[in-house]
Amino acid sequence: LRLQMPDEPGQYEIRYISSQTNTVLARQPVEVMPVSVTLLAPVAVSIGGEVEIVWEGPDGKNDFITVVPASAEPNAQGKKVYTRKGNPVKLPMPDSAGLYELRYLSGQSQRVLGRAPLEVKAVAVSLVSLSLGAAGNSLRVVWQGPAASGDSIAVANITDAENKWVGNTRADQSPLELPLPAEPGIYEIRYVTGQSRSVLARRLLEVVSQDKYLERMAAMPGGTLRLSATSAGEALTEGVNWQVYAIDGRPPDIQRSTDPVAEFSLPMGLYRANLSSAAGTMSVEVLLDSGQTHEQAITLP
């Protein structure tokens, strides 16, 4: 038969024990030797990402690798993956920045057999949208964030807890269309992590009835769009043609300029900016909120 050995080195005995009297009928000494355990992984990763870990160890029954704060107790456990899943294995990272450890734990006693330091770094998180939306419609949101599994862009009442919201959309592409509540009011747009439901960024949003939406849009102050372009690392200073027009259902009303750095005073809304030059052409979408000065740099190959 096969008998699993203890996970702590030392001198032991294998014993044959009578089931009737619990008498030891035979014994055989055995020395359990230490085993080499190593964990190879990046020393720094971004929050919410996934790390590939190459490991060496006993691969005992239910052995696993986990990630915990560097100061955590030896029996602490975080996100984990069992070594039986293969080598290398992939492990999701925490969604809070800080100093952590990868730990190899025995499936028998939960003893730490190996460890490796790891820094989890914050990433830039931002939400760009109009500050006004129509009830029951959707709102275009341009976002930046860790894009980890389960992350979402949510709309919530400003008094809602971080793990509560009115509706949300998975953060798997940017920009995205976020459905808005049917009830007018003051809300928040939030970037919510999939692991701990923590809010990494938030933005105020006023939702008004559809019949008041266009009226309010027209009454709110506009903004300034400032465009510039580079090619091969150099700023374009001549032969530049800009076209800017609305793409949110309003009449296009095309604005043009040949200035290398062009400024347009525009009502709040969603626009397309077209660049044409000898170095090439490119188009980008721009959200311009009320009272905002938006600087958009375009880089041509």
Side-chain angles (χ1 to χ4, degrees), residues 7-9 35-38 57-59 63 103-107 109-115:
D7 59 9
E8 186 168 0
V35 64
S36 174
V37 178
T38 58
D59 193 20
D63 285 4
R103 295 179 180 176
Y104 185 116
L105 272 70
S106 162
S109 65
Q110 316 298 296
R111 288 180 61 246
V112 177
L113 303 183
R115 61 185 79 210

Side-chain angles (χ1 to χ4, degrees), residues 7 17 21 48 56 81 101 107 125-126 128 136 166-167 171 177 187 209 216-217 221-222 241 256 271 280-281 288 292:
D7 59 9
I17 301 175
T21 63
E56 180 183 350
V81 59
E101 273 190 343
V125 183
S126 63
V128 178
V166 179
E177 298 295 326
Y187 295 87
S209 61
R216 287 289 307 278
M217 284 276 286
N241 290 283
R256 294 180 171 85
Y271 294 88
T281 61
L288 185 64
Q292 178 189 34

Side-chain angles (χ1 to χ4, degrees), residues 45-47 97 121-126 144-147 191 200:
V45 295
S46 298
I47 61 171
K121 295 185 174 183
V123 299
V125 183
S126 63
Q144 182 180 0
Y191 187 108
L200 302 185

